[in-house]
Amino acid sequence: MNTSTSNDFFKTQVLGHPAGLFVLFFTEMWERFSYYGMRAILVLFLVSAFGLGGWDWPREHALALYGTYTAMVYLTPILGGYIADKFIGYRKAVVIGALLMTLGHASMAIEVAPVFLYIGIGLLIVGNGFFKPNMTSVISQLYKDFPEKKDGAYTIFYMGVNAGAFLGILLCGYLGEKVGWSWGFGLAGIFMLLGMLQFYLAQNIFGEVGKKPLAETTESKAAALEFEGDRLNHFTIFDKVIIAITTVLGLVWVINDPASKIGGSNILEFGGTDYSNHTILIALGLFLFLLISRILRYPAIIRDRMVAIIFFAIFTVCFWASFEQAGGSMTIFAKDYTNRIMSGSYATIFLISNILITVIPVAIITWVLYLLFKQTYKKYLASNIILGLSFVLIWGIVFWMINRDMNSNAFVVSYQTIEKVAVDEEGKQIVDEKTGELVYQYTLVTESTTVSESDKIVEKEITIIEPITLNVGQEIALIDVDKKGNFIYLNQTKETNVRATFSESLPSNIVKGTIKQIKENEIEIPATWFLILNSLFIIIFAPLFSKWWESKFNPSGSVKYGIGLILLGLGFAALAFGSMGIESGAKVASVSMIWLILAYLFHTLGELCLSPVALSYISKLVPGRMIAMMFGIWYIAVAIGNKIAGSMGGKIDEITEQYSMSTFFLIFTFVPAGLGLIAILLNPLLKKLMHGVR
């Protein structure tokens, strides 16, 4: 990058930084909006009732697909960054990635066949590979001649990341749960498209930066010769063969996991034996062999520092394997096991708080948009029109959401069940060990249920909250959305869609309910709402942690890792304690939401301790010529953590039925907390291995 290009870029100022930085800010914000918005509703969509847009999958199947998706989005950037570096340039890669992700969201919004879901997820994975690594590369290149401004630029950029995540989860989650899943997926796609258009139409603001692959300079040639000529760093043919085998085995296992569960086609099964575990163990063994063999070739100091990175990578895998329960098992816990209905003054407090935490961030970002518009509207009018339109849509959805919540009514609805004494596998009546009384089970009376004269009918009650007007005594249509006692109201459109799915093999599961009472001042919090707490807590606590790291009390890296893992464990301890009253095998419960809020608080504090440290240490502990390779290994570690998160989260039903919900969360309590203590105890050893790097 030449100096004139840099100077031109720095001519227009917004909040002390070039206007072009804020073009990147809004592009990244809308991409994160789409990613986190879709991620928030994916598992809920997969397990929701067929006929309402969902696919009625078991939780294990949904979480297997979720784990593969979140793992793959950390693997494709390695390839996407390489393609941009060598062939197409950063800017073209960003546009291609954004376009592919837009098509992916559009495909997922089509409620026709599961194939569109798989196509959509595939496009999102590939598109993310092109988009994710190259946005930050553009910033790095733009600020090459202004290193003193780079930290501030990345701070602003990552505020866009958190703003996008916050708004995406809030709005896509709300639309998906309250209106329809395709609306949530569609909204994510719309803003991905708008983000791509505003970037494409304003890209000339970056001059020549990112337009073409980086030209080879005398410095880069020398570095390449040094890399290839140094026998300690040279990749042998044997190394490359192991890399290829490991990559193929790993990808086959990651993709086969959900495919074998969902489609029943296990390509790793031979002669009636499932070799899935063997495959991943072989891949892991080869990967460790390659890593260790290469580390042994380095000089002593570099070797020690890379050994330290391996310790940190192991801690990272375990951290993300637990932390990423947020979009999986913790979202299921929020939907099925958490009391999300607030009434009276609590409902009023929530409504006011929700309005403030929604409107204030959007207002601040709109002000930044205004400042950008003042600087760029003459040269980049079309881009500004697109960006302005996106905020008109955001404000419209925000006001619609607030109005819907404020005008919703709560109705107590009665419905019929058939009461029978529960029996075991041998036909014996089940007696409660604590009370000595018979245990009863209740079968839902649907339109297709045949009720005999001997059946004992018992009425049960639920509360539904909708922006409609109903009268006491009025009959309405309900459906148990996940066969676990989570009922939703069917308006005429939804009822028609559900009835269209009925057949001889799939009889009607519509339940007739009767309005018994109308309540005032009650609200139901969407299950996805709790996911915004992570972004909210990051915005609140990040400045405090930054001050901590700059003070004399700044702990060493391994201690930060230890604290982060222990805080993560404490979050799950809160959930384990809160779910102690849930019976083994229960599909629904009504636990206080305070435990879920505490969990997200501790998890975010843990993330602030660990996540920023990880990437910083890679840049400090390895030589410059090896950073790209180590970042690739780091993304692999994060991907493994995400895949393990999906696999472990999928055990929620099995562990809950065999033991309890508390046992499930205690696993995620003891493992991270134990590793956190180990990290702290290893502090002297790791400090020695790092040879003075802090």
Side-chain angles (χ1 to χ4, degrees), residues 31-233:
E31 189 276 332
R32 292 291 87 183
F33 179 102
S34 69
Y35 172 76
Y36 280 100
M38 171 269 188
R39 175 178 167 270
I41 61 176
L42 177 60
V43 171
L44 296 182
F45 157 75
L46 292 172
V47 300
S48 70
F50 187 74
L52 291 171
W55 296 112
D56 201 16
W57 283 5
R59 292 168 177 173
E60 184 181 7
H61 293 185
L63 289 167
L65 182 62
Y66 171 81
T68 291
Y69 167 66
T70 54
M72 292 293 287
V73 295
Y74 280 98
L75 294 177
T76 51
I78 300 171
L79 183 60
Y82 176 81
I83 292 172
D85 277 336
K86 297 293 183 182
F87 304 108
I88 63 177
Y90 302 138
R91 278 154 56 175
K92 191 174 290 184
V94 167
V95 173
I96 291 171
L99 179 60
L100 290 173
M101 286 189 285
T102 299
L103 294 173
H105 289 296
S107 181
M108 293 187 71
I110 300 173
E111 296 179 0
V112 178
V115 66
F116 289 102
L117 172 70
Y118 303 133
I119 291 172
I121 287 177
L123 289 169
L124 289 173
I125 290 170
V126 176
N128 182 80
F130 280 102
F131 188 97
K132 188 177 180 68
N134 296 306
M135 286 293 289
T136 50
S137 298
V138 172
I139 296 177
S140 179
Q141 209 176 333
L142 286 168
Y143 281 80
K144 182 180 178 182
D145 297 332
F146 301 87
E148 72 281 359
K149 287 182 171 287
K150 188 175 284 188
D151 285 349
Y154 277 113
T155 299
I156 291 172
F157 182 75
Y158 285 114
M159 286 302 292
V161 170
N162 283 294
F166 178 87
L167 290 173
I169 293 168
L170 182 71
L171 301 182
C172 293
Y174 190 93
L175 275 173
E177 287 193 71
K178 299 294 186 181
V179 182
W181 303 116
S182 61
W183 286 83
F185 292 131
L187 186 67
I190 288 170
F191 281 98
M192 187 69 258
L193 175 64
L194 293 173
M196 179 197 70
L197 290 174
Q198 73 94 24
F199 175 84
Y200 179 79
L201 294 170
Q203 63 178 310
N204 288 337
I205 200 171
F206 308 122
E208 294 299 310
V209 171
K211 196 171 184 178
K212 298 177 181 178
L214 288 176
E216 193 172 36
T217 63
T218 304
E219 185 182 275
S220 65
K221 286 180 181 178
L225 287 172
E226 178 188 3
F227 184 84
E228 291 295 331
D230 189 340
R231 67 178 181 83
L232 298 176
N233 292 310

Side-chain angles (χ1 to χ4, degrees), residues 652-664:
I652 185 171
D653 283 337
E654 181 181 335
I655 294 173
T656 300
E657 288 175 8
Q658 191 171 353
Y659 302 101
S660 66
M661 182 65 71
S662 284
T663 303
F664 175 78

